[in-house]
Amino acid sequence: MYRILEKQVLSDVNKLMVVEAPAVAQKAKAGQFVIIRIDEQGERIPLTIADFDQNEGTITIIFQEVGKSTMKLGTLDEGDSVADFVGPLGHATEVENYGAVVCVGGGVGIAPVYPIARALKDAGNTVLGIMGARSENLLFWEDKMRQVCDELTVCTDDGSYGRMALVTTPLQEILEARTDVTRVWAIGPAIMMKF
């Protein structure tokens, strides 16, 4: 059993949980994911690793309650446990010193883009960050993103916080204004990725 050490309600649909999983934390890298099963009858839920602390042996997950299983996961509290917490899975993001890079997180995509931005900064890159959501109440981790980005643009679709724009607008402006950007990482909803 894997114990939930911390739970935060980020919005009416987004939740954060810090889970005690030392073996997973020891091997976790930016861009990887875990599979969670709440109980013996539960389905397997793949969730991106939003953060990890190898010293504390913890993995942070952020999820949106969109179906039966994630809604059930959202009802768990600090001190509760999940039956299975398998990982880290998937290929880690390739991280090198590329120079100037852009990391874009839209909506709940902010969670997986954060460890990538942190790893890129640790590798010596100049990290230009863009984060956005439909409205202010759906934004989270601005403080964490500011710590790992040399510049950060915050957008909301409705203009309730930061710049009123889709994240694709400042991305286009950066790419037109700077010739030194060598890579872009973008994670977000399908409509954002389409643009």
Side-chain angles (χ1 to χ4, degrees):
M1 299 294 264
Y2 298 87
R3 196 161 51 98
I4 298 165
L5 302 178
E6 180 184 341
K7 177 183 177 181
Q8 292 178 24
V9 177
L10 301 175
S11 73
D12 56 340
V13 293
N14 294 330
K15 304 279 190 312
L16 173 151
M17 289 182 176
V18 178
V19 179
E20 185 176 47
V24 178
Q26 282 304 311
K27 296 182 178 180
K29 293 187 175 145
Q32 292 185 305
F33 69 98
V34 293
I35 297 218
I36 296 175
R37 200 165 56 123
I38 299 167
D39 54 35
E40 296 300 321
Q41 293 75 40
E43 71 175 333
R44 297 165 37 125
I45 309 167
L47 294 170
T48 302
I49 296 172
D51 201 0
F52 55 91
D53 186 320
Q54 293 174 333
N55 294 327
E56 296 293 324
T58 59
I59 297 287
T60 301
I61 55 170
I62 294 177
F63 59 96
Q64 198 167 54
E65 296 175 323
V66 292
K68 181 180 176 183
S69 294
T70 51
M71 286 183 183
K72 185 174 181 180
L73 181 60
T75 66
L76 298 181
D77 236 325
E78 293 175 6
D80 291 338
S81 295
V82 294
D84 296 321
F85 198 87
V86 179
L89 301 169
H91 294 288
T93 301
E94 291 182 25
V95 174
E96 297 175 22
N97 187 338
Y98 300 108
V101 298
V102 181
C103 291
V104 185
V108 79
I110 297 165
V113 90
Y114 165 73
I116 295 169
R118 180 178 62 192
L120 288 164
K121 184 67 179 169
D122 289 347
N125 292 283
T126 298
V127 180
L128 310 172
I130 304 168
M131 59 184 284
R134 288 190 315 265
S135 59
E136 179 180 11
N137 67 317
L138 296 173
L139 283 170
F140 59 90
W141 280 11
E142 179 182 352
D143 57 334
K144 289 175 83 77
M145 285 294 288
R146 284 201 187 282
Q147 291 173 6
V148 299
C149 293
D150 295 281
E151 297 175 23
L152 180 66
T153 303
V154 181
C155 305
T156 51
D157 298 0
D158 64 3
S160 56
Y161 184 80
R163 180 174 172 186
M164 182 175 179
L166 302 176
V167 294
T168 51
T169 301
L171 174 59
Q172 182 177 353
E173 292 167 357
I174 289 170
L175 294 176
E176 289 172 358
R178 296 186 65 141
T179 58
D180 61 336
V181 173
T182 59
R183 303 274 192 296
V184 175
W185 281 263
I187 304 172
I191 191 72
M192 176 193 120
M193 300 306 288
K194 177 182 172 186
F195 291 107

